[in-house]
Every structure is written in C-alpha cells, then in structure tokens.
Amino acid sequence: MNGAQVVQSQQSKMGGLPYTLVEARVARIQGLDLQNVRRKLMESYPEGKGWTEAQVREAEKWYKRFLEVILRDGDESAQRVPNHVVDAFWHCHILDTRAYAEDCATVFGQ
C-alpha cells in the first residue's frame, strides 16, 4: 500500500475526513470546557444528580469518548445509544443550549 492508499484508507475510516482534521477535532473534544455541566450534575436532586466530583469527572471522560466515536464513525444516519451515565451528561450539556451549540460547531463544524 503506497502513501496515497494509506491516506485514502484512513479517510474512509474517518467518515471521509482527512486524518489530520479528525485528530484536530478530537483535540477540540478533549479541550471542551464542561465545567457548567459538571457543576450542574453535582447539584442535588431535582436540579442535578447529586454526583460526586469523581463521578462527574468519570462521566465527562466517557462522554468525550462517546463524542469521539461519533466523530470517527462519520455515519450521520447511525443510531448510537449511550449508557445512562453518558446520556445524563449529554442531556445536561444539551440543556445549556448556547454552550452546546457552540461546542457542536467547534467540534463538528455545524
């Protein structure tokens, strides 16, 4: 396999995006400031979940991995179902609509 074939192979695995663009977007995912989401989840019920700092850090790690899977897959029609922890984190992120829209634009370009 020559260099052009390797790049083409990598692009097909990354939803057609050049490998370097995918890696740049993965770095953006890792750089997202989700402090407000973490803070909200640490609040007591009914506003939050009453999670500990350790729990929100772990949830954030898995949420970012979930976003990376979506990015790397590149199939916009695919149905992805997160586990309940990732789903709770995602839902809380969505509720901060302005930050969520900005973060989506930063990562996915939309």
Side-chain angles (χ1 to χ4, degrees):
M1 188 178 276
N2 66 34
Q5 290 171 321
V6 169
V7 170
Q8 188 174 28
S9 174
Q10 289 174 336
Q11 285 177 339
S12 66
K13 292 177 185 174
M14 303 296 173
L17 294 172
Y19 182 74
T20 54
L21 178 57
V22 170
E23 292 308 311
R25 289 182 176 185
V26 167
R28 291 178 192 166
I29 289 171
Q30 294 308 314
L32 290 176
D33 179 5
L34 299 170
Q35 178 180 357
N36 289 336
V37 176
R38 292 191 311 268
R39 183 180 41 77
K40 187 71 167 177
L41 288 167
M42 289 172 55
E43 290 178 6
S44 60
Y45 183 82
E47 293 297 319
K49 297 279 188 190
W51 290 357
T52 66
E53 177 75 22
Q55 287 172 311
V56 295
R57 292 288 180 181
E58 188 71 9
E60 179 180 15
K61 176 178 75 175
W62 286 103
Y63 176 60
K64 288 180 175 182
R65 287 180 180 175
F66 178 70
L67 294 177
E68 185 176 340
V69 166
I70 292 169
L71 175 69
R72 288 185 184 277
D73 181 37
D75 182 358
E76 294 179 14
S77 66
Q79 296 290 320
R80 295 167 195 87
V81 181
N83 66 28
H84 70 281
V85 172
V86 170
D87 189 58
F89 201 95
W90 190 8
H91 181 73
C92 195
H93 191 194
I94 289 169
L95 291 177
D96 187 354
T97 55
R98 180 172 291 141
Y100 183 75
E102 290 171 3
D103 292 343
C104 286
T106 295
V107 173
F108 299 103
Q110 301 172 3

